[in-house]
Short mmCIF file of all heavy atoms in Angstrom, two decimals:
data_model
loop_
_atom_site.label_atom_id
_atom_site.label_comp_id
_atom_site.label_asym_id
_atom_site.label_seq_id
_atom_site.Cartn_x
_atom_site.Cartn_y
_atom_site.Cartn_z
N HIS A 836 6.90 0.10 -28.64
CA HIS A 836 5.84 -0.54 -27.83
C HIS A 836 6.31 -0.75 -26.40
O HIS A 836 5.58 -0.49 -25.42
CB HIS A 836 5.43 -1.88 -28.42
CG HIS A 836 4.48 -1.82 -29.55
ND1 HIS A 836 3.17 -1.44 -29.41
CD2 HIS A 836 4.64 -2.02 -30.91
CE1 HIS A 836 2.55 -1.48 -30.59
NE2 HIS A 836 3.43 -1.85 -31.52
N ALA A 837 7.59 -1.17 -26.30
CA ALA A 837 8.14 -1.46 -24.97
C ALA A 837 8.24 -0.17 -24.09
O ALA A 837 8.09 -0.27 -22.86
CB ALA A 837 9.54 -2.06 -25.12
N GLU A 838 8.45 0.95 -24.72
CA GLU A 838 8.49 2.23 -23.94
C GLU A 838 7.15 2.52 -23.31
O GLU A 838 7.07 3.20 -22.29
CB GLU A 838 8.93 3.35 -24.89
CG GLU A 838 10.38 3.29 -25.34
CD GLU A 838 10.72 4.33 -26.38
OE1 GLU A 838 9.83 5.14 -26.73
OE2 GLU A 838 11.88 4.34 -26.86
N ILE A 839 6.07 2.02 -23.93
CA ILE A 839 4.74 2.20 -23.37
C ILE A 839 4.42 1.10 -22.40
O ILE A 839 3.88 1.37 -21.29
CB ILE A 839 3.68 2.23 -24.49
CG1 ILE A 839 3.97 3.42 -25.46
CG2 ILE A 839 2.26 2.31 -23.96
CD1 ILE A 839 3.16 3.38 -26.76
N LEU A 840 4.73 -0.12 -22.75
CA LEU A 840 4.37 -1.26 -21.88
C LEU A 840 5.28 -1.41 -20.66
O LEU A 840 4.81 -1.76 -19.56
CB LEU A 840 4.47 -2.56 -22.71
CG LEU A 840 3.35 -2.85 -23.72
CD1 LEU A 840 3.72 -4.04 -24.59
CD2 LEU A 840 2.03 -3.09 -22.99
N GLY A 841 6.54 -1.14 -20.82
CA GLY A 841 7.51 -1.37 -19.77
C GLY A 841 7.11 -0.72 -18.45
O GLY A 841 7.14 -1.42 -17.39
N PRO A 842 6.82 0.58 -18.44
CA PRO A 842 6.43 1.21 -17.15
C PRO A 842 5.18 0.55 -16.49
O PRO A 842 5.05 0.55 -15.28
CB PRO A 842 6.13 2.68 -17.56
CG PRO A 842 6.96 2.85 -18.79
CD PRO A 842 6.91 1.56 -19.52
N LYS A 843 4.26 0.03 -17.31
CA LYS A 843 3.06 -0.60 -16.76
C LYS A 843 3.41 -1.88 -16.01
O LYS A 843 2.94 -2.16 -14.94
CB LYS A 843 2.02 -0.83 -17.88
CG LYS A 843 1.47 0.43 -18.50
CD LYS A 843 0.42 0.15 -19.54
CE LYS A 843 -0.15 1.45 -20.11
NZ LYS A 843 -1.24 1.20 -21.07
N PHE A 844 4.28 -2.69 -16.64
CA PHE A 844 4.70 -3.94 -15.99
C PHE A 844 5.54 -3.63 -14.76
O PHE A 844 5.40 -4.33 -13.75
CB PHE A 844 5.44 -4.82 -16.98
CG PHE A 844 4.52 -5.62 -17.87
CD1 PHE A 844 4.01 -5.07 -19.04
CD2 PHE A 844 4.17 -6.91 -17.54
CE1 PHE A 844 3.17 -5.82 -19.85
CE2 PHE A 844 3.32 -7.67 -18.33
CZ PHE A 844 2.83 -7.08 -19.53
N LYS A 845 6.35 -2.61 -14.85
CA LYS A 845 7.14 -2.22 -13.65
C LYS A 845 6.24 -1.81 -12.51
O LYS A 845 6.49 -2.15 -11.32
CB LYS A 845 8.10 -1.07 -14.02
CG LYS A 845 9.31 -1.46 -14.79
CD LYS A 845 10.22 -0.30 -15.12
CE LYS A 845 11.40 -0.69 -15.94
NZ LYS A 845 12.28 0.48 -16.27
N LEU A 846 5.18 -1.11 -12.81
CA LEU A 846 4.25 -0.69 -11.78
C LEU A 846 3.54 -1.89 -11.14
O LEU A 846 3.45 -2.01 -9.92
CB LEU A 846 3.19 0.24 -12.40
CG LEU A 846 2.03 0.64 -11.42
CD1 LEU A 846 2.58 1.50 -10.29
CD2 LEU A 846 0.93 1.40 -12.17
N VAL A 847 3.11 -2.80 -11.97
CA VAL A 847 2.45 -4.01 -11.44
C VAL A 847 3.40 -4.79 -10.52
O VAL A 847 3.00 -5.15 -9.39
CB VAL A 847 1.99 -4.93 -12.62
CG1 VAL A 847 1.64 -6.33 -12.10
CG2 VAL A 847 0.84 -4.32 -13.40
N LEU A 848 4.61 -4.97 -10.97
CA LEU A 848 5.54 -5.75 -10.14
C LEU A 848 5.95 -5.01 -8.88
O LEU A 848 6.14 -5.61 -7.83
CB LEU A 848 6.81 -6.09 -11.00
CG LEU A 848 6.46 -7.03 -12.21
CD1 LEU A 848 7.67 -7.13 -13.09
CD2 LEU A 848 6.05 -8.42 -11.74
N LYS A 849 6.10 -3.67 -8.99
CA LYS A 849 6.40 -2.85 -7.82
C LYS A 849 5.29 -2.96 -6.80
O LYS A 849 5.56 -3.15 -5.58
CB LYS A 849 6.57 -1.37 -8.25
CG LYS A 849 6.80 -0.44 -7.06
CD LYS A 849 6.82 1.00 -7.59
CE LYS A 849 6.89 2.01 -6.46
NZ LYS A 849 6.91 3.42 -6.92
N MET A 850 4.04 -2.92 -7.21
CA MET A 850 2.93 -3.03 -6.27
C MET A 850 2.78 -4.41 -5.70
O MET A 850 2.48 -4.54 -4.48
CB MET A 850 1.63 -2.52 -6.92
CG MET A 850 1.69 -1.03 -7.29
SD MET A 850 0.08 -0.40 -7.78
CE MET A 850 -0.87 -0.40 -6.22
N LEU A 851 3.01 -5.43 -6.49
CA LEU A 851 2.96 -6.77 -5.94
C LEU A 851 4.03 -6.96 -4.83
O LEU A 851 3.76 -7.54 -3.79
CB LEU A 851 3.22 -7.83 -7.10
CG LEU A 851 2.07 -7.98 -8.09
CD1 LEU A 851 2.51 -8.93 -9.22
CD2 LEU A 851 0.79 -8.47 -7.43
N ARG A 852 5.22 -6.44 -5.10
CA ARG A 852 6.31 -6.57 -4.12
C ARG A 852 5.94 -5.79 -2.86
O ARG A 852 6.10 -6.28 -1.72
CB ARG A 852 7.63 -6.04 -4.71
CG ARG A 852 8.30 -6.97 -5.68
CD ARG A 852 9.73 -6.58 -5.96
NE ARG A 852 9.79 -5.25 -6.59
CZ ARG A 852 9.84 -5.05 -7.90
NH1 ARG A 852 9.86 -6.09 -8.76
NH2 ARG A 852 9.91 -3.82 -8.36
N ALA A 853 5.48 -4.59 -3.03
CA ALA A 853 5.15 -3.71 -1.86
C ALA A 853 3.98 -4.26 -1.01
O ALA A 853 4.03 -4.21 0.20
CB ALA A 853 4.81 -2.29 -2.34
N GLU A 854 2.99 -4.83 -1.69
CA GLU A 854 1.80 -5.23 -1.02
C GLU A 854 1.81 -6.68 -0.53
O GLU A 854 1.18 -7.00 0.48
CB GLU A 854 0.58 -5.06 -1.95
CG GLU A 854 0.29 -3.61 -2.34
CD GLU A 854 -0.62 -2.91 -1.34
OE1 GLU A 854 -1.10 -3.58 -0.45
OE2 GLU A 854 -0.81 -1.70 -1.52
N LEU A 855 2.50 -7.56 -1.25
CA LEU A 855 2.34 -9.02 -1.01
C LEU A 855 3.59 -9.72 -0.55
O LEU A 855 3.51 -10.89 -0.10
CB LEU A 855 1.73 -9.68 -2.26
CG LEU A 855 0.42 -9.11 -2.76
CD1 LEU A 855 0.03 -9.83 -4.07
CD2 LEU A 855 -0.66 -9.18 -1.73
N THR A 856 4.76 -9.10 -0.67
CA THR A 856 5.96 -9.79 -0.33
C THR A 856 5.98 -10.14 1.17
O THR A 856 5.52 -9.35 2.01
CB THR A 856 7.22 -8.89 -0.66
OG1 THR A 856 7.25 -8.68 -2.06
CG2 THR A 856 8.51 -9.60 -0.22
N ASN A 857 6.50 -11.32 1.50
CA ASN A 857 6.70 -11.79 2.86
C ASN A 857 5.38 -12.04 3.61
O ASN A 857 5.39 -12.13 4.85
CB ASN A 857 7.56 -10.81 3.67
CG ASN A 857 8.99 -10.73 3.11
OD1 ASN A 857 9.50 -11.68 2.59
ND2 ASN A 857 9.55 -9.54 3.20
N ARG A 858 4.28 -12.17 2.91
CA ARG A 858 3.03 -12.47 3.58
C ARG A 858 2.66 -13.97 3.43
O ARG A 858 1.69 -14.43 4.04
CB ARG A 858 1.89 -11.59 3.06
CG ARG A 858 1.98 -10.16 3.64
CD ARG A 858 0.93 -9.22 3.02
NE ARG A 858 0.90 -7.93 3.71
CZ ARG A 858 1.75 -6.96 3.47
NH1 ARG A 858 2.74 -7.10 2.61
NH2 ARG A 858 1.61 -5.81 4.17
N GLY A 859 3.36 -14.66 2.50
CA GLY A 859 3.09 -16.07 2.32
C GLY A 859 1.77 -16.38 1.68
O GLY A 859 1.24 -17.46 1.86
N ILE A 860 1.24 -15.45 0.92
CA ILE A 860 -0.05 -15.65 0.32
C ILE A 860 -0.05 -15.61 -1.22
O ILE A 860 -1.10 -15.78 -1.84
CB ILE A 860 -1.11 -14.63 0.83
CG1 ILE A 860 -0.68 -13.21 0.56
CG2 ILE A 860 -1.33 -14.87 2.35
CD1 ILE A 860 -1.71 -12.18 0.96
#
């Protein structure tokens, strides 16, 4: 299950970091 879920969570966290880091929001 983790092999399927892991990449999805990594994508979410990658996009949150890329889009929202250091904006204070």
Side-chain angles (χ1 to χ4, degrees):
H836 279 290
E838 290 173 3
I839 298 169
L840 285 171
K843 295 183 178 184
F844 278 84
K845 284 182 181 178
L846 174 66
V847 168
L848 296 170
K849 175 185 174 183
M850 293 191 71
L851 289 175
R852 285 194 297 266
E854 296 273 353
L855 303 178
T856 298
N857 297 327
R858 285 175 171 81
I860 58 174

